[in-house]
Amino acid sequence: MTQAVAIGGGKQKNSASLPSVGSAFGLPSGIALMNGEELHARDLQGKLLVLEYWATWCPFCARQMPHLEELYKKQRGQGLVVLGLSVDREAAEVPAYIKKHGVSFPVAWLSAELSRQLPKPAGLPVTIVIGRDGRVKMAEAGEMFPEDIAGIAKFL
C-alpha cells in the first residue's frame, strides 16, 4: 500500500497538497459529468465519496480503474459513490476511454474552472476518500493495491 501523505510544506507548481485525514472537504455545488448529467453536492450528503484523479494516458490509473469499478458496483447500494476526475488535456479523449473500459461510475473532466474548486494533488492516480460526515478519511497519491481499494469499504 502506498503511504498517505498529509498536507505540508509549499505547494508544487500546478498541484495542490493532499488533504489531511480528518480535515473537512468542500465540494462544488454542481459538477458537470461526461454523460451530460450534473452531480450536485446535495446528492452526495450522507454518502461515502471516492474522488479519483486519473488520466487516459496513465498506466497506473489503467491498472487501478477496474478495481475502483468493482468497488463501486459492490458498494454503491451501501452509499458509496466513486467520482472519476479526468485530468486529460482535452475532454474529448475521455468518453471513448470510459466506454472501452466499462467504467460505470460518474466521470467528470477536470476543466480549469473545476480545477479551481477541486485542485489536483501531485501524482497520478490520486485517491481521496470523503466520509459521510464530509471529512477526509484517506488520501493517497500513486497506485494502490487491489486489496487496499477493496478496503475503502471499511469507511462505509
Side-chain angles (χ1 to χ4, degrees):
M1 181 174 168
T2 56
Q3 286 285 358
V5 180
I7 292 177
K11 290 186 178 184
Q12 296 181 8
K13 188 175 182 179
N14 298 326
S15 295
S17 296
L18 282 171
S20 296
V21 171
S23 65
F25 195 95
L27 292 167
S29 58
I31 299 172
L33 301 175
M34 296 302 300
N35 65 3
E37 295 178 12
E38 191 163 324
L39 184 63
H40 299 277
R42 67 178 178 269
D43 300 330
L44 300 171
Q45 289 178 345
K47 304 217 174 174
L48 182 71
L49 174 63
V50 178
L51 282 180
E52 179 73 6
Y53 292 88
W54 66 283
T56 59
W57 47 263
C58 169
F60 309 108
C61 303
R63 287 195 301 256
Q64 188 161 303
M65 197 70 84
H67 305 294
L68 284 168
E69 178 66 22
E70 182 180 350
L71 175 70
Y72 176 68
K73 285 181 175 178
K74 285 183 178 177
Q75 302 296 338
R76 65 182 171 198
Q78 306 303 314
L80 178 124
V81 176
V82 175
L83 174 59
L85 296 172
S86 166
V87 300
D88 287 278
R89 289 189 189 269
E90 300 293 329
E93 300 171 24
V94 181
Y97 183 94
I98 59 179
K99 182 178 180 180
K100 178 181 176 185
H101 294 278
V103 175
S104 65
F105 54 79
V107 174
W109 178 63
L110 196 65
S111 64
E113 180 183 341
L114 186 55
S115 182
R116 284 190 292 277
Q117 298 170 27
L118 293 172
K120 185 192 101 42
L124 273 182
V126 173
T127 307
I128 301 171
V129 179
I130 303 154
R132 295 177 191 266
D133 61 356
R135 297 199 171 275
V136 175
K137 301 298 180 192
M138 184 181 92
E140 300 276 343
E143 184 180 359
M144 294 171 59
F145 293 119
E147 59 270 20
D148 296 324
I149 293 170
I152 291 171
K154 71 183 174 199
F155 297 114
L156 284 167

